[in-house]
Amino acid sequence: MQELLERQKGFHRTILIVDDEFIEREMLGAMLQDLYEVIYAENGAVALDLIRKEKMRLSLVILDLHMPELDGYSLLKIIRADSELRRIPVIVLTSEKEAEVTSLQLGAADFITKPYDVPDVIRARVRHSIELAEDSIIIHETERDELTGLFNKEFFFQYGKRLDQQNDQLPMDALVFDINRFHIINELYGKAFGNSILKEIGTRVHEIVSRTGGLACRLSNNCFGIYLPHVEYLHEKLPQYITGLSGSLGDCKISIRMGIYSDDGSGLDMEQRFDRAALTCQKLRNSYTTCFAFYNAELHSKELYSERLLEDMDKALAEGQFRVFYQPKYCICDGTPRLVSAEALTRWHHPEYGAIGPDVFIPLFENNGLIQKLDRYVWNYAAAQIRQWKTEYGVDIPVSVNVSRVDAFNPMLGKILSEITSRNGLENEKLLLEITESAYTDDSRQIIDTVIRLREQGYKIEMDDFGSGYSSLNMLTSLPIDALKLDMHFIRNICGNKKDCRLVGIMIEIARLLNVPVIAEGVETKEQMELLKELGCDIIQGYYFSKPLSAEDFSALIRTEIGV
Ligand code: C2E
Ligand code: CA
Ligand code: CA
């Protein structure tokens, strides 16, 4: 059937017959010339020239072993060792049993014995060898990445799994690396140049796995995967080895970053290990000093945890898992400390993880804008609470809320806030706004404009964490604020550290200059409180008086304060 088809298509594969005996060449040729295009060579040297010239066209070489000059064995060895010729199958012509074994060991596809068999048998052997070789080329091509010759992703994982099954005792490393700023190389030098780099890297990687016994693949564009038995300290040498390209690539310097997952016996499958190596590699994206890193399980689980919190946020808001706590602020200007206001602080009661502090989730939410949702939720709660205390106990207790940096840049902020205060029947000055000092230093002009507008609406602004940012004195004097809240860090050591004590003194002086009250937070002891009082601090917030309280506990505190 195959023969018929070939004849019909008029397509003839080319066969080279190499034999120094004219008669033998012609006899064999006669058997094959109906089916194939046959070319001839009368010795090994002529044959080698022809093979090199016709390497793309040749489907088979039929080779006599005994010839003058270059004999059949030597020619066979040359063909098998040459990566460009290796794909051409070779059938040897021989009359000795010994020679059959040797030539098969040297990589011959088959042999034909002299004197010649019936032509049908010879034709069948020829066809079989050609078909086998063509099939294996097709398999090779589907398994391999065309440019680098390394495995493609699919076969890489398939063979990797097989390797694992065969050597389940051998600890394997999963390495993923890519080339830093490869797109720039492509843009600067052209895609062909980029490809030649990939190709050369492919060759280096191939060398590594052939020496260490492993597998390699091109995972995607400029990203490679290597799966190899663990060798101590090998990773330290690999990046340099891989990027030490040959002179032909000029002086274009390339660098790679490599993520490594070393098998720790945790039984992850190969793909999971490569996911982790890839993740580690991605983390190195912005690092120009580190070119490899090992996967860190602790870091990974932290990240998974953060992702989970981000995912759960909407549901948590809808289900009221966020609770607003209130920490009282006391005025210490007169004889006995007097409750004057509170700060609203959020806690998350997660159904699975239990209580989570704001120091964990606020930074996460700040990174992606979710903070605005949470803040709005807290402002609503706090405003409703002020209203409720007023209605229940007839007292005005202003509550300060945290306005994060992202909120401060929202042009709708004034509108959002006034909608909240008016819905709860509150004067705007009852909802105090805490804006952290570092927000001012980020983009002072815009924040100052926002603050000016909010103050025009009647809101009072407290500068939070004062001393932690870098406000210049010059900026401070023109700053429209209503209170300075000292950063807790200074308060912590105020009694033991003279420098901190001096600093707090200076900050209080600055507040005087600005003509605004000073609030100290994080005050835990009587000594701290007394020292602050001496230095002229007006308001104290901290564990010394009270931890942040639930709305019910704060209500109880109000009742004690006013004596009901
Ligand atoms: P912050 O605004 O500086 O709040 C003061 C923090 O100090 C609170 O921590 C409070 O519980 C804690 N604290 C108060 N007194 C003491 C004390 O005597 N000693 C010590 N060691 N700590 C004290 P918390 O509640 O963990 O909040 C941490 C930060 O999270 C807050 O710092 C604030 O920046 C942010 N935050 C909390 N709730 C919200 C919110 O609803 N929205 C926004 N944007 N940020 C919030
Ligand atoms: Ca605050
Ligand atoms: Ca603060």
Side-chain angles (χ1 to χ4, degrees):
M1 188 64 184
Q2 174 88 5
E3 291 174 16
L4 267 177
L5 277 172
E6 283 178 5
R7 259 186 233 172
Q8 248 177 0
K9 281 190 295 185
F11 168 78
H12 281 0
R13 288 174 168 78
T14 305
I15 293 178
L16 169 67
I17 297 177
V18 192
D19 198 325
D20 57 327
E21 308 258 354
F22 175 75
I23 304 283
E24 307 255 344
R25 274 199 320 260
E26 289 299 316
M27 268 172 65
L28 196 56
M31 289 182 217
L32 298 168
Q33 67 194 10
D34 280 358
L35 299 168
Y36 303 95
E37 188 177 332
V38 183
I39 53 176
Y40 302 92
E42 65 276 16
N43 64 48
V46 175
L48 186 57
D49 275 353
L50 253 177
I51 294 170
R52 291 228 156 97
K53 224 182 281 162
E54 301 289 343
K55 60 177 183 261
M56 299 312 291
R57 194 160 68 104
L58 275 181
S59 290
L60 178 73
V61 174
I62 302 179
L63 182 64
D64 183 31
L65 287 177
H66 301 291
M67 291 182 296
E69 286 195 50
L70 190 60
D71 71 7
Y73 289 117
S74 313
L75 184 56
L76 179 57
K77 270 192 211 161
I78 294 173
I79 296 175
R80 302 304 301 165
D82 188 319
S83 64
E84 292 192 320
L85 307 180
R86 196 180 298 151
R87 64 153 198 95
I88 306 170
V90 176
I91 292 181
V92 297
L93 299 169
T94 172
S95 47
E96 307 140 28
K97 270 263 160 277
E98 273 289 288
E100 284 170 15
V101 180
T102 322
S103 43
L104 287 176
Q105 279 168 347
L106 287 175
D110 203 352
F111 51 85
I112 293 174
T113 44
K114 286 184 182 181
Y116 294 132
D117 233 323
V118 267
D120 278 349
V121 174
I122 291 181
R123 281 199 281 261
R125 298 198 107 142
V126 164
R127 203 182 69 221
H128 181 67
S129 292
I130 293 178
E131 277 174 6
L132 262 183
E134 287 182 355
D135 285 354
S136 89
I137 288 171
I138 292 171
I139 292 173
H140 186 85
E141 278 174 359
T142 46
E143 282 179 348
R144 303 276 166 168
D145 163 52
E146 210 179 316
L147 185 69
T148 59
L150 301 176
F151 281 117
N152 62 34
K153 199 170 165 181
E154 191 189 339
F155 282 92
F156 176 66
F157 285 114
Q158 230 176 69
Y159 288 125
K161 277 175 202 157
R162 202 181 297 165
L163 203 70
D164 282 345
Q165 279 161 5
Q166 287 160 356
N167 321 289
D168 59 349
Q169 297 305 318
L170 197 63
M172 299 289 282
D173 284 349
L175 279 62
V176 170
F177 73 88
D178 62 14
I179 305 165
N180 287 317
R181 291 165 296 162
F182 185 65
H183 64 283
I184 294 182
I185 294 176
N186 264 337
E187 266 169 41
L188 281 181
Y189 300 93
K191 201 156 175 233
F193 183 81
N195 281 351
S196 58
I197 286 187
L198 294 175
K199 213 166 157 182
E200 184 143 348
I201 286 184
T203 310
R204 299 240 155 182
V205 168
H206 186 78
E207 265 171 49
I208 293 166
V209 289
S210 17
R211 273 202 235 149
T212 53
L215 300 166
C217 89
R218 186 170 165 214
L219 287 167
S220 63
N221 184 24
N222 74 91
C223 183
F224 294 78
I226 306 180
Y227 194 46
L228 80 181
H230 180 75
V231 180
E232 208 66 32
Y233 305 117
L234 177 68
H235 53 271
E236 290 179 4
K237 305 214 175 70
L238 280 186
Q240 218 177 356
Y241 179 70
I242 292 170
T243 53
L245 303 177
S246 76
S248 63
L249 295 176
D251 40 40
C252 163
K253 291 264 179 298
I254 64 160
S255 63
I256 61 166
R257 52 193 178 145
M258 180 182 277
I260 307 165
Y261 180 92
S262 256
D263 194 5
D264 56 356
S266 58
L268 294 179
D269 70 28
M270 183 186 168
E271 277 168 59
Q272 288 170 316
R273 282 181 271 158
F274 269 88
D275 282 348
R276 282 161 174 65
L279 200 87
T280 313
C281 176
Q282 269 169 31
K283 289 237 186 63
L284 290 175
R285 176 158 291 158
N286 298 317
S287 167
Y288 294 109
T289 46
T290 322
C291 54
F292 66 86
F294 282 90
Y295 169 80
N296 177 333
E298 205 179 305
L299 202 74
H300 183 59
S301 62
K302 248 194 210 157
E303 276 168 3
L304 287 181
Y305 178 68
S306 304
E307 266 170 42
R308 172 76 194 278
L309 294 189
L310 289 173
E311 245 171 55
D312 290 353
M313 196 256 189
D314 274 328
K315 190 161 176 257
L317 271 180
E319 291 181 357
Q321 291 170 19
F322 290 103
R323 315 245 165 94
V324 183
F325 275 55
Y326 301 88
Q327 188 173 32
K329 296 183 199 171
Y330 284 85
C331 173
I332 53 164
C333 303
D334 320 316
T336 23
R338 184 167 46 89
L339 175 67
V340 282
S341 63
E343 175 176 7
L345 293 159
T346 323
R347 274 95 189 88
W348 184 351
H349 286 261
H350 194 282
E352 206 173 301
Y353 302 132
I356 308 175
D359 47 328
V360 175
F361 60 83
I362 297 283
L364 283 182
F365 296 167
E366 273 174 343
N367 276 339
N368 52 42
L370 284 180
I371 190 68
Q372 297 195 65
K373 276 192 196 175
L374 178 68
D375 279 348
R376 217 195 263 206
Y377 176 90
V378 175
W379 301 340
N380 270 300
Y381 249 83
Q385 195 59 65
I386 303 170
R387 175 80 258 156
Q388 193 192 329
W389 286 327
K390 171 126 181 134
T391 314
E392 256 174 58
Y393 309 116
V395 288
D396 270 322
I397 302 185
V399 172
S400 62
V401 292
N402 289 287
V403 173
S404 79
R405 192 182 317 255
V406 196
D407 300 313
F409 287 108
N410 181 355
M412 302 299 286
L413 179 63
K415 212 161 158 241
I416 294 168
L417 285 167
S418 62
E419 195 272 318
I420 292 174
T421 38
S422 67
R423 182 157 30 81
N424 289 286
L426 300 178
E427 297 116 17
N428 290 349
E429 61 177 34
K430 295 289 172 347
L431 192 66
L432 310 171
L433 308 177
E434 295 192 11
I435 301 179
T436 185
E437 183 193 14
S438 57
Y440 288 85
T441 30
D442 278 354
D443 184 344
S444 52
R445 194 61 252 165
Q446 200 172 342
I447 291 281
I448 291 172
D449 288 346
T450 308
V451 166
I452 289 173
R453 266 183 274 115
L454 290 171
R455 289 181 90 228
E456 278 165 9
Q457 285 180 254
Y459 290 102
K460 299 257 182 271
I461 314 291
E462 296 181 355
M463 186 192 263
D464 203 358
D465 311 318
F466 180 61
S468 68
Y470 298 92
S471 313
S472 64
L473 273 179
N474 187 25
M475 179 181 132
L476 277 174
T477 49
S478 59
L479 215 55
I481 45 163
D482 301 284
L484 275 186
K485 233 179 144 172
L486 304 183
D487 190 65
M488 269 201 274
H489 289 96
F490 300 107
I491 311 299
R492 194 164 297 151
N493 301 319
I494 191 178
C495 295
N497 185 324
K498 276 208 174 99
K499 218 166 114 199
D500 280 4
C501 183
R502 282 283 313 274
L503 270 173
V504 169
I506 291 170
M507 289 192 272
I508 293 174
E509 283 304 312
I510 292 172
R512 286 256 159 74
L513 197 80
L514 300 177
N515 206 17
V516 295
V518 180
I519 304 164
E521 66 180 332
V523 179
E524 296 185 352
T525 63
K526 193 162 193 259
E527 294 75 53
Q528 288 170 341
M529 199 271 285
E530 276 167 357
L531 183 55
L532 284 161
K533 187 172 178 170
E534 222 171 275
L535 290 169
C537 178
D538 307 280
I539 295 169
I540 299 277
Q541 173 185 346
Y543 296 170
Y544 173 65
F545 284 117
S546 167
K547 291 202 161 181
L549 302 171
S550 66
E552 299 80 65
D553 289 346
F554 201 96
S555 299
L557 180 76
I558 296 174
R559 287 196 295 272
T560 336
E561 287 281 322
I562 60 173
V564 289

